[in-house]
Every structure is written in structure tokens, then in C-alpha cells.
């Protein structure tokens, strides 16, 4: 959804900004020029990511303005075609519905790209999807998931003052807009009774432990999009079953099996068609799925804690696929990050590496790191060795 774009530009620093550090003055000028602006064929600029290089300043004659040639990288909003994004419905009409993000609202879903059997309710001014006798309402401000289908660019040239007075200015198109769809499994309305980890219409069942609250019901299209491992595992060639033979209510089933005290692997069962069942959890030995006849009855307190953290890491990994933040409870000790959160992040990164799905983790992990910047910025360097494949912007830019 976000990309980094390198640009070169001339920055003019006015005399009133001379009291600031040079890097800060340059960054402020670039943000004032590009933030919340659309650059044609690039996207919606959010902010400056970093400054790659800057020339010596040249003072302009008679003005005192310092001119600096700068090369920098910008954070740009430009989702790729086929990306799954979550947003809120801002309005609806016969033609379709508009969806808004917190910072962008030019997303349109035409009526022909909605689920079949979707109709527009004139009285409620919303779309209604009828599926197997149930009606799902696309109410205003409701959360929905959509798939990016096409982007549209409009080159806007300045209008003369006389045209602005006639009202032509209000009729101008947006410089950047997106056409989206809601026609695949896992897309559409997110009902209050169908939020993570049990999503309405989910066709992949994942048991992290035998406890009912550790059962996940997710969408195969989202798993396949974010992980190459799941993309292969859920394919017809891997399962040997066509999508027609699975049926609407069929589910793939996975269990988090432990091979020894610590090692765990998510193994796909042979019976892909499985009805949801519940387990009776009487003892800790029966809580986890164990392979090769391994018993967890002899685990000590430290080993059990490791398993609990691993289950939490798996839950956070799958939650990040559905745009949920990574959360971790930590104590007030200044070494809490050093010995706990760092290892927890390392677990999530290792899980993402195993399932060949790391790209989408960068944002959630950085947000978790940001939680600790204000309290313990000196501990951020302890993450450097465990996050080699992820963005280290917060670590590199922290001022110690």
C-alpha cells in the first residue's frame, strides 16, 4: 500500500529557518511542499522518509534565501493492483459506493464489481448483499475489505480566477483515484460477529491450541496474497482437489504441531474437508498438538512460557495480515524490551520468513517499535541483529 520514491529537488531555506538544524529545515520544507500532495504517476505523498544527499547551500542575491539541491525518499501511498485493503464506506448511490481511508477518500466500487445479488436500498441509501438467505448491509461508516482493480490519473492545470468564480473549480476531478471490487471470498462487509480471529465467510480453519479461543477462521484469498507458502498450500495442485469439489462450507484445516519442547510447525492435515469441532481441554498435556508421539507433560515453566509466546506470535502474524496492530504486554522495567519484546519480534519475523511472507510485517513491527521509542530509545539497537530483512528506519533515525 505504501512505497518509497526517490526524488531530487531544489529546497529554498528562508532566513527565519536558519536557527533550526540544516537537516530539520530541509525536511520541513520538503514536507510542506509534498505532504498530502499527489504527484502524477507516483501517488499520494505522505511525508519525507529520509534525506539521501544535500549540496552546499548557495545564498541568493538580495534575498538571503539558501538554495540546496536535495535527493530524498518519500513515503507514497500507491496500492498495487490486486492488493486487499480495508476502509470505511463514506457514501453510496445507484452507481456504487465510495470508500474512505483515514487519509484518502477517492476510492470507488462500481455496482458491477460488487457481489452478485447485491441491490441498492433507496430508503436506507445503502447496498445490501443477499447470501444464502442472509442479508449483509453496507451501511455508512461500516468497515469493508476491497481489492484494488485500477488507478486513474488526471493532470490538473491551474484554473483562471474567472473560471473559479463560475463554479467550474468545484467540478474538477480528483488527480488520483482508485477503482476497487468486492467480488471475491473474504471481501465485502466485516460484520461485528465476524471479526478476527473468526471471520465471516472464512474457509481456512487454524488451531493454534485446543482451546476454542485459539481457533482462527480466516480467508484463503488473504492468506494466499500475503504468503507464498499458503498460496502453494491452498492451491488445487497441492491439495489435489478442485475448488468446485470443496463446496461453499468446506474448510482447509491446519494445526500448530510441536515436534519437541520448542520447535513448532504449522502442518496441513490430510483431511482438508473438516467440520468445525471443539476440544475438551482437561490438562496442560492435552492443550497443544504434538507430533511423533511427543508428550508435553514434562515441560517445565520456562518451556511452557515459550510455547505461550509462540502461540501469541502466530496470532499476531495472522492478525497483521488483516491490518491489526501487533500488541505486546510489557512491564515497566527498562530491560523489558531487551529481553522480551526483542525476542517476541524475532519470533514473528521467523514465522514470516518460514511462510515466505515478510513484506506486510514492516509497518506493524515499526509501529510496535515506535511504542518504545519515547520510553527506551537506547534499546532499539538491540533489534538490529534480529530484523535484518525489515526496515530499520526507527532504529537508524533514533537520536541517542
Amino acid at each position: 500500500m505504501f512505497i518509497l520514491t526517490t526524488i531530487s529537488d531544489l529546497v529554498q531555506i528562508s532566513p527565519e529557518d536558519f536557527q533550526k538544524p540544516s537537516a530539520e529545515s530541509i525536511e520541513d520544507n520538503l514536507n510542506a511542499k509534498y505532504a498530502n500532495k499527489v504527484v502524477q504517476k507516483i501517488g499520494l505523498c505522505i511525508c519525507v522518509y529520509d534525506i539521501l544527499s544535500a549540496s552546499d547551500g548557495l545564498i541568493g542575491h538580495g534575498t538571503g534565501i539558501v538554495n540546496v539541491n536535495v535527493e530524498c525518499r518519500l513515503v507514497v501511498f500507491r496500492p498495487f493492483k490486486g492488493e486487499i485493503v480495508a476502509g470505511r464506506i463514506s457514501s453510496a448511490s445507484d452507481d456504487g459506493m465510495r470508500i474512505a481511508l483515514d487519509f484518502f477518500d477517492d476510492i470507488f466500487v462500481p455496482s458491477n464489481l460488487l457481489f452478485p445479488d447485491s441491490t441498492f436500498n433507496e430508503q436506507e441509501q445503502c447496498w445490501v448483499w443477499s447470501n444464502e438467505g442472509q442479508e449483509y448491509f453496507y451501511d455508512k461508516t461500516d468497515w469493508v475489505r476491497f481489492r484494488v482493480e485500477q488507478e486513474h490519473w488526471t493532470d490538473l492545470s491551474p484554473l483562471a480566477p474567472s473560471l473559479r468564480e463560475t463554479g467550474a473549480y468545484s467540478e474538477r476531478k480528483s488527480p488520483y483515484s482508485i477503482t476497487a471490487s468486492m467480488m471475491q471470498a473474504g471481501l465485502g462487509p466485516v460484520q461485528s460477529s465476524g471479526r478476527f480471529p473468526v471471520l465471516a465467510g472464512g474457509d481456512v480453519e487454524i488451531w493454534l491450541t485446543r482451546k476454542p479461543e485459539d481457533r482462527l477462521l480466516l480467508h484463503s484469498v488473504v492468506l494466499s496474497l500475503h504468503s507464498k507458502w499458503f498460496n502453494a498450500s491452498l492451491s488445487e495442485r497441492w491439495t489435489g482437489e478442485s475448488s468446485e469439489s470443496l463446496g461453499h462450507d468446506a474448510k482447509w484445516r491446519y494445526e500448530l504441531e510441536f515436534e519437541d519442547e520448542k520447535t513448532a510447525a504449522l502442518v496441513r492435515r490430510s483431511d482438508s474437508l473438516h467440520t468445525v469441532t471443539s476440544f475438551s481441554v482437561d490438562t496442560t498435556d492435552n492443550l497443544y498438538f504434538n507430533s511423533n508421539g511427543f508428550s508435553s507433560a514434562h515441560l517445565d515453566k520456562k518451556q511452557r512460557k515459550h510455547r505461550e509466546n509462540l502461540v501469541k506470535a502466530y496470532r499476531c502474524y495472522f492478525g497483521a495480515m488483516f491490518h491489526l496492530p501487533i500488541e505486546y504486554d510489557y512491564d515497566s522495567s527498562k530491560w523489558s524490551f531487551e529481553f522480551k519484546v526483542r525476542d517476541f519480534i524475532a519470533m514473528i519475523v521467523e514465522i514470516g520468513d518460514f511462510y515466505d511472507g515478510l513484506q506486510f510485517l514492516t509497518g506493524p513491527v515499526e509501529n510496535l517499535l515506535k511504542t518504545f521509542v519515547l520510553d527506551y530509545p537506547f534499546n532499539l539497537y538491540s533489534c538490529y541483529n534480529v530484523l535484518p530483512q525489515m526496515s530499520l528506519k526507527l532504529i537508524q533515525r533514533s537520536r541517542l
Side-chain angles (χ1 to χ4, degrees):
M1 186 161 62
F2 296 97
I3 61 174
L4 291 178
T5 299
T6 302
I7 64 167
S8 298
D9 199 357
L10 176 66
V11 174
Q12 294 184 323
I13 303 176
S14 57
E16 54 264 27
D17 290 334
F18 288 171
Q19 59 183 352
K20 301 179 183 178
S22 299
E24 184 178 345
S25 298
I26 293 174
E27 187 171 341
D28 289 345
N29 278 272
L30 289 171
N31 280 326
K33 183 175 183 179
Y34 289 101
N36 202 29
K37 305 292 195 307
V38 172
V39 179
Q40 283 293 310
K41 303 300 182 180
I42 293 180
L44 174 64
C45 299
I46 305 299
C47 64
V48 175
Y49 183 81
D50 59 6
I51 298 175
L52 300 178
S53 63
S55 66
D56 295 333
L58 300 177
I59 301 177
H61 178 69
T63 62
I65 294 177
V66 176
N67 300 282
V68 182
N69 290 309
V70 177
E71 184 178 15
C72 67
R73 290 190 295 179
L74 300 176
V75 178
V76 177
F77 169 74
R78 189 179 181 181
F80 58 84
K81 184 177 180 180
E83 184 172 2
I84 306 298
V85 185
R88 290 182 180 271
I89 299 174
S90 59
S91 63
S93 65
D94 287 329
D95 298 328
M97 67 179 72
R98 290 199 169 273
I99 302 174
L101 307 179
D102 292 336
F103 53 88
F104 186 77
D105 56 4
D106 288 314
I107 303 172
F108 183 69
V109 181
S111 57
N112 63 311
L113 294 182
L114 293 171
F115 281 114
D117 300 326
S118 295
T119 57
F120 183 70
N121 189 317
E122 293 284 351
Q123 183 177 359
E124 299 290 340
Q125 287 294 300
C126 69
W127 282 86
V128 182
W129 173 39
S130 299
N131 181 37
E132 296 186 346
Q134 292 186 347
E135 291 186 340
Y136 299 92
F137 286 79
Y138 294 88
D139 292 323
K140 187 177 180 180
T141 72
D142 277 0
W143 280 98
V144 292
R145 292 190 184 88
F146 58 90
R147 182 178 187 268
V148 177
E149 298 294 344
Q150 192 175 2
E151 56 185 11
H152 307 278
W153 303 94
T154 303
D155 189 6
L156 301 179
S157 57
L159 289 178
S162 58
L163 295 178
R164 298 182 184 181
E165 295 175 358
T166 60
Y169 184 77
S170 61
E171 299 176 0
R172 303 182 74 189
K173 296 181 179 179
S174 170
Y176 175 53
S177 59
I178 293 173
T179 298
S181 67
M182 297 182 192
M183 299 181 66
Q184 293 182 338
L187 305 182
V190 180
Q191 301 297 321
S192 59
S193 60
R195 297 186 184 276
F196 185 88
V198 179
L199 300 174
D203 55 353
V204 179
E205 184 185 36
I206 300 176
W207 288 86
L208 301 179
T209 70
R210 287 185 167 88
K211 294 192 294 186
E213 56 265 30
D214 287 330
R215 168 182 172 262
L216 315 181
L217 190 59
L218 309 178
H219 298 127
S220 58
V221 62
V222 178
L223 293 172
S224 300
L225 180 66
H226 290 89
S227 165
K228 293 182 180 180
W229 188 93
F230 276 104
N231 185 40
S233 177
L234 296 170
S235 66
E236 296 178 6
R237 184 173 59 179
W238 185 304
T239 61
E241 300 162 338
S242 64
S243 56
E244 290 80 4
S245 66
L246 291 176
H248 178 77
D249 296 327
K251 299 179 178 66
W252 289 274
R253 177 189 172 93
Y254 295 83
E255 293 175 353
L256 182 61
E257 291 190 349
F258 286 85
E259 298 178 357
D260 51 36
E261 289 83 353
K262 294 183 178 181
T263 308
L266 195 62
V267 181
R268 180 179 180 276
R269 290 171 59 99
S270 58
D271 53 334
S272 60
L273 302 183
H274 185 81
T275 305
V276 176
T277 59
S278 60
F279 298 93
S280 59
V281 183
D282 300 326
T283 63
T284 307
D285 183 31
N286 193 36
L287 179 61
Y288 300 99
F289 298 96
N290 299 306
S291 62
N292 302 323
F294 175 76
S295 175
S296 56
H298 65 283
L299 296 178
D300 57 29
K301 183 178 180 180
K302 184 177 180 180
Q303 292 168 342
R304 295 184 190 279
K305 186 63 177 178
H306 178 83
R307 286 197 174 192
E308 292 175 3
N309 288 335
L310 189 59
V311 170
K312 291 179 182 178
Y314 265 96
R315 178 181 285 266
C316 289
Y317 177 73
F318 290 119
M321 290 186 181
F322 293 86
H323 306 284
L324 293 181
I326 297 176
E327 298 179 350
Y328 184 80
D329 297 329
Y330 63 100
D331 55 38
S332 58
S333 170
K334 67 178 182 179
W335 302 113
S336 175
F337 183 88
E338 175 75 21
F339 294 107
K340 296 180 181 179
V341 181
R342 182 194 63 179
D343 295 337
F344 185 66
I345 293 176
M347 279 186 181
I348 300 176
V349 174
E350 289 174 0
I351 292 171
D353 187 43
F354 178 79
Y355 296 107
D356 203 357
L358 275 174
Q359 297 82 357
F360 68 94
L361 281 177
T362 303
V365 168
E366 285 190 346
N367 289 334
L368 179 62
L369 292 175
K370 190 176 180 180
T371 306
F372 299 91
V373 171
L374 298 179
D375 296 334
Y376 316 116
F378 53 85
N379 282 330
L380 289 180
Y381 279 102
S382 65
C383 272
Y384 189 84
N385 292 328
V386 299
L387 300 175
Q389 304 184 54
M390 307 192 68
S391 172
L392 300 174
K393 173 187 174 184
L394 293 178
I395 299 174
Q396 296 168 349
R397 289 172 61 91
S398 62
R399 299 174 180 176
L400 306 181

